[in-house]
Amino acid sequence: MARPREFDEAAALDAAVQCFWARGYEATSVRDLADSMGITGASLYNAFGDKRALYRRALDRYVEQSFLDRVGRFENHMPPRAAIAAFFNEIIKRSLADKDRKGCMLVNSALEVAPHDPEFQRVVADVLVQVESFFRRCVAAGQRDGSISSGQSADDMGRVLLSTLLGIRVLARTRPERALLEGLVRPVAALLDP
Protein backbone atom coordinates (compact mmCIF):
# COMPACT_ATOMS: atom_id res chain seq x y z
CA MET A 1 0.00 0.00 0.00
CA ALA A 2 1.32 3.45 -0.94
CA ARG A 3 2.30 5.79 1.88
CA PRO A 4 0.35 9.02 2.11
CA ARG A 5 2.23 12.18 1.13
CA GLU A 6 3.99 13.75 4.07
CA PHE A 7 3.99 17.26 2.64
CA ASP A 8 1.51 19.82 1.39
CA GLU A 9 1.61 19.42 -2.38
CA ALA A 10 0.11 22.86 -3.08
CA ALA A 11 2.66 24.58 -0.81
CA ALA A 12 5.47 22.60 -2.41
CA LEU A 13 4.26 23.62 -5.87
CA ASP A 14 4.09 27.26 -4.77
CA ALA A 15 7.70 26.97 -3.57
CA ALA A 16 8.68 25.50 -6.96
CA VAL A 17 7.02 28.45 -8.69
CA GLN A 18 9.09 30.86 -6.59
CA CYS A 19 12.30 28.92 -7.26
CA PHE A 20 11.82 28.71 -11.05
CA TRP A 21 10.58 32.29 -11.19
CA ALA A 22 13.65 33.62 -9.37
CA ARG A 23 16.27 31.55 -11.17
CA GLY A 24 14.76 30.48 -14.48
CA TYR A 25 14.44 26.95 -15.79
CA GLU A 26 18.04 26.21 -16.78
CA ALA A 27 19.69 27.68 -13.67
CA THR A 28 17.39 25.79 -11.28
CA SER A 29 18.62 22.36 -10.24
CA VAL A 30 16.54 19.53 -8.83
CA ARG A 31 18.44 20.04 -5.57
CA ASP A 32 17.44 23.75 -5.56
CA LEU A 33 13.84 22.73 -6.09
CA ALA A 34 13.80 20.00 -3.44
CA ASP A 35 15.45 22.33 -0.90
CA SER A 36 13.02 25.19 -1.60
CA MET A 37 10.05 22.81 -1.53
CA GLY A 38 11.19 21.23 1.73
CA ILE A 39 11.14 17.70 0.33
CA THR A 40 13.63 15.10 -0.81
CA GLY A 41 14.61 14.62 -4.44
CA ALA A 42 12.87 11.24 -4.39
CA SER A 43 9.64 12.83 -3.12
CA LEU A 44 9.89 15.48 -5.83
CA TYR A 45 10.17 12.84 -8.55
CA ASN A 46 7.42 10.71 -7.03
CA ALA A 47 4.98 13.61 -6.66
CA PHE A 48 5.78 15.74 -9.70
CA GLY A 49 7.86 13.73 -12.15
CA ASP A 50 11.03 15.18 -13.58
CA LYS A 51 12.18 18.82 -13.55
CA ARG A 52 10.47 19.57 -16.87
CA ALA A 53 7.13 18.16 -15.68
CA LEU A 54 7.42 20.18 -12.47
CA TYR A 55 8.19 23.31 -14.47
CA ARG A 56 5.05 22.78 -16.52
CA ARG A 57 2.94 22.45 -13.38
CA ALA A 58 4.66 25.47 -11.82
CA LEU A 59 4.01 27.58 -14.92
CA ASP A 60 0.35 26.50 -14.97
CA ARG A 61 0.06 27.43 -11.28
CA TYR A 62 1.69 30.81 -11.90
CA VAL A 63 -0.74 31.58 -14.75
CA GLU A 64 -3.71 30.49 -12.64
CA GLN A 65 -2.66 32.65 -9.69
CA SER A 66 -1.69 35.70 -11.72
CA PHE A 67 -3.35 36.21 -15.09
CA LEU A 68 -6.46 34.06 -14.61
CA ASP A 69 -7.03 35.50 -11.13
CA ARG A 70 -6.65 39.06 -12.47
CA VAL A 71 -9.08 38.48 -15.34
CA GLY A 72 -11.61 36.93 -12.97
CA ARG A 73 -11.42 39.93 -10.65
CA PHE A 74 -11.62 42.58 -13.38
CA GLU A 75 -13.50 41.38 -16.45
CA ASN A 76 -16.84 40.48 -14.94
CA HIS A 77 -16.81 43.00 -12.09
CA MET A 78 -15.84 46.25 -13.81
CA PRO A 79 -16.85 48.20 -16.88
CA PRO A 80 -14.60 47.24 -19.84
CA ARG A 81 -12.49 50.40 -19.91
CA ALA A 82 -11.97 50.25 -16.14
CA ALA A 83 -10.99 46.54 -16.38
CA ILE A 84 -8.23 47.37 -18.87
CA ALA A 85 -6.99 50.26 -16.71
CA ALA A 86 -7.06 48.13 -13.54
CA PHE A 87 -5.17 45.35 -15.32
CA PHE A 88 -2.34 47.70 -16.33
CA ASN A 89 -2.32 49.51 -12.98
CA GLU A 90 -1.86 46.21 -11.17
CA ILE A 91 0.89 45.08 -13.57
CA ILE A 92 2.79 48.34 -13.05
CA LYS A 93 2.33 48.15 -9.28
CA ARG A 94 3.58 44.54 -9.22
CA SER A 95 6.50 45.41 -11.50
CA LEU A 96 7.60 48.30 -9.27
CA ALA A 97 7.26 46.17 -6.13
CA ASP A 98 9.41 43.37 -7.63
CA LYS A 99 12.68 44.17 -5.79
CA ASP A 100 14.34 41.06 -7.22
CA ARG A 101 13.30 42.03 -10.76
CA LYS A 102 11.97 38.56 -11.48
CA GLY A 103 9.55 39.94 -14.04
CA CYS A 104 6.77 37.73 -15.30
CA MET A 105 7.34 33.97 -15.21
CA LEU A 106 5.30 33.55 -18.39
CA VAL A 107 7.36 36.16 -20.28
CA ASN A 108 10.55 34.65 -18.87
CA SER A 109 9.40 31.26 -20.17
CA ALA A 110 8.65 32.75 -23.57
CA LEU A 111 12.23 33.99 -23.78
CA GLU A 112 14.12 31.15 -22.08
CA VAL A 113 12.29 27.87 -22.64
CA ALA A 114 9.75 28.25 -25.45
CA PRO A 115 12.25 28.91 -28.28
CA HIS A 116 13.85 25.49 -27.64
CA ASP A 117 10.85 23.38 -26.64
CA PRO A 118 7.82 22.94 -28.91
CA GLU A 119 5.52 21.94 -26.03
CA PHE A 120 6.37 25.04 -24.01
CA GLN A 121 6.12 27.15 -27.15
CA ARG A 122 2.49 25.98 -27.44
CA VAL A 123 1.82 26.45 -23.72
CA VAL A 124 3.14 30.02 -23.71
CA ALA A 125 1.42 30.85 -27.01
CA ASP A 126 -1.90 29.55 -25.67
CA VAL A 127 -1.69 31.77 -22.60
CA LEU A 128 -0.72 34.80 -24.69
CA VAL A 129 -3.78 34.12 -26.87
CA GLN A 130 -5.89 34.11 -23.69
CA VAL A 131 -4.38 37.46 -22.64
CA GLU A 132 -5.05 38.93 -26.08
CA SER A 133 -8.60 37.55 -25.96
CA PHE A 134 -9.22 39.22 -22.59
CA PHE A 135 -8.16 42.57 -24.04
CA ARG A 136 -10.18 41.99 -27.22
CA ARG A 137 -13.32 41.13 -25.23
CA CYS A 138 -12.93 44.26 -23.10
CA VAL A 139 -12.38 46.47 -26.15
CA ALA A 140 -15.35 44.96 -27.99
CA ALA A 141 -17.60 45.39 -24.93
CA GLY A 142 -16.40 49.00 -24.53
CA GLN A 143 -17.06 49.69 -28.19
CA ARG A 144 -20.59 48.37 -27.77
CA ASP A 145 -21.28 50.55 -24.71
CA GLY A 146 -19.52 53.60 -26.15
CA SER A 147 -16.73 53.82 -23.56
CA ILE A 148 -14.04 52.78 -26.07
CA SER A 149 -13.39 54.19 -29.53
CA SER A 150 -14.38 52.17 -32.56
CA GLY A 151 -11.55 53.76 -34.56
CA GLN A 152 -9.54 50.53 -34.40
CA SER A 153 -10.84 46.98 -34.51
CA ALA A 154 -11.12 45.09 -31.24
CA ASP A 155 -8.74 42.49 -32.72
CA ASP A 156 -6.05 45.07 -33.46
CA MET A 157 -6.46 46.80 -30.10
CA GLY A 158 -6.24 43.43 -28.34
CA ARG A 159 -2.87 42.89 -30.02
CA VAL A 160 -1.67 46.41 -29.19
CA LEU A 161 -2.62 45.97 -25.53
CA LEU A 162 -0.88 42.57 -25.44
CA SER A 163 2.31 44.05 -26.90
CA THR A 164 2.17 46.90 -24.38
CA LEU A 165 1.84 44.40 -21.54
CA LEU A 166 4.81 42.39 -22.80
CA GLY A 167 6.87 45.56 -23.18
CA ILE A 168 6.11 46.61 -19.62
CA ARG A 169 7.06 43.21 -18.23
CA VAL A 170 10.36 43.10 -20.14
CA LEU A 171 11.38 46.72 -19.47
CA ALA A 172 10.54 46.46 -15.78
CA ARG A 173 13.30 43.88 -15.34
CA THR A 174 15.98 46.43 -16.20
CA ARG A 175 14.24 49.79 -15.74
CA PRO A 176 11.53 49.54 -13.08
CA GLU A 177 10.69 53.23 -13.29
CA ARG A 178 7.12 54.40 -12.72
CA ALA A 179 7.34 57.21 -15.30
CA LEU A 180 8.63 54.81 -17.96
CA LEU A 181 6.03 52.11 -17.34
CA GLU A 182 3.10 54.51 -17.06
CA GLY A 183 4.39 56.29 -20.16
CA LEU A 184 4.04 53.06 -22.11
CA VAL A 185 0.37 52.82 -21.19
CA ARG A 186 -0.74 56.45 -21.62
CA PRO A 187 -0.57 56.66 -25.45
CA VAL A 188 -2.22 53.28 -25.81
CA ALA A 189 -4.97 54.27 -23.38
CA ALA A 190 -5.51 57.41 -25.50
CA LEU A 191 -6.26 55.15 -28.48
CA LEU A 192 -9.19 53.80 -26.48
CA ASP A 193 -10.74 57.23 -25.91
CA PRO A 194 -14.05 57.59 -27.72
Side-chain angles (χ1 to χ4, degrees):
M1 185 167 97
R3 291 184 359 189
R5 293 233 162 91
E6 296 176 5
F7 62 92
D8 180 339
E9 191 169 318
L13 188 55
D14 288 339
V17 168
Q18 293 301 317
C19 194
F20 280 127
W21 192 8
R23 296 184 175 129
Y25 178 76
E26 290 298 329
T28 302
S29 70
V30 171
R31 179 179 298 271
D32 294 333
L33 289 163
D35 289 348
S36 71
M37 296 165 76
I39 60 177
T40 66
S43 292
L44 184 151
Y45 284 108
N46 288 336
F48 300 102
D50 62 9
K51 176 182 160 181
R52 187 175 180 283
L54 177 56
Y55 187 74
R56 171 67 193 268
R57 289 200 46 199
L59 184 58
D60 289 345
R61 180 110 169 148
Y62 173 85
V63 169
E64 174 186 313
Q65 293 179 334
S66 60
F67 168 69
L68 295 177
D69 171 70
R70 195 171 298 116
V71 168
R73 285 185 288 119
F74 299 154
E75 186 171 18
N76 298 318
H77 299 96
M78 295 180 160
R81 179 73 186 263
I84 293 170
F87 191 98
F88 280 107
N89 288 339
E90 186 169 301
I91 291 298
I92 290 170
K93 181 179 176 184
R94 288 177 59 104
S95 295
L96 295 173
D98 181 7
K99 300 303 178 208
D100 297 324
R101 297 185 184 182
K102 296 184 310 282
C104 170
M105 188 175 170
L106 179 69
V107 173
N108 298 347
S109 298
L111 299 173
E112 180 190 11
V113 182
H116 315 289
D117 187 314
E119 179 188 351
F120 279 100
Q121 187 176 38
R122 283 188 301 277
V123 168
V124 170
D126 287 348
V127 176
L128 293 177
V129 165
Q130 290 178 53
V131 175
E132 181 184 335
S133 295
F134 159 72
F135 287 132
R136 184 181 59 247
R137 288 189 308 270
C138 288
V139 170
Q143 288 174 335
R144 284 191 301 274
D145 74 15
S147 64
I148 293 178
S149 169
S150 295
Q152 302 290 327
S153 73
D155 288 342
D156 286 348
M157 284 309 302
R159 291 181 197 110
V160 168
L161 293 166
L162 172 64
S163 67
T164 302
L165 170 64
L166 296 175
I168 289 169
R169 295 306 259 162
V170 171
L171 279 172
R173 294 216 42 200
T174 57
R175 291 183 59 197
E177 304 159 18
R178 180 177 300 281
L180 172 67
L181 303 182
E182 290 177 348
L184 292 171
V185 175
R186 267 192 309 276
V188 174
L191 291 173
L192 299 175
D193 289 342

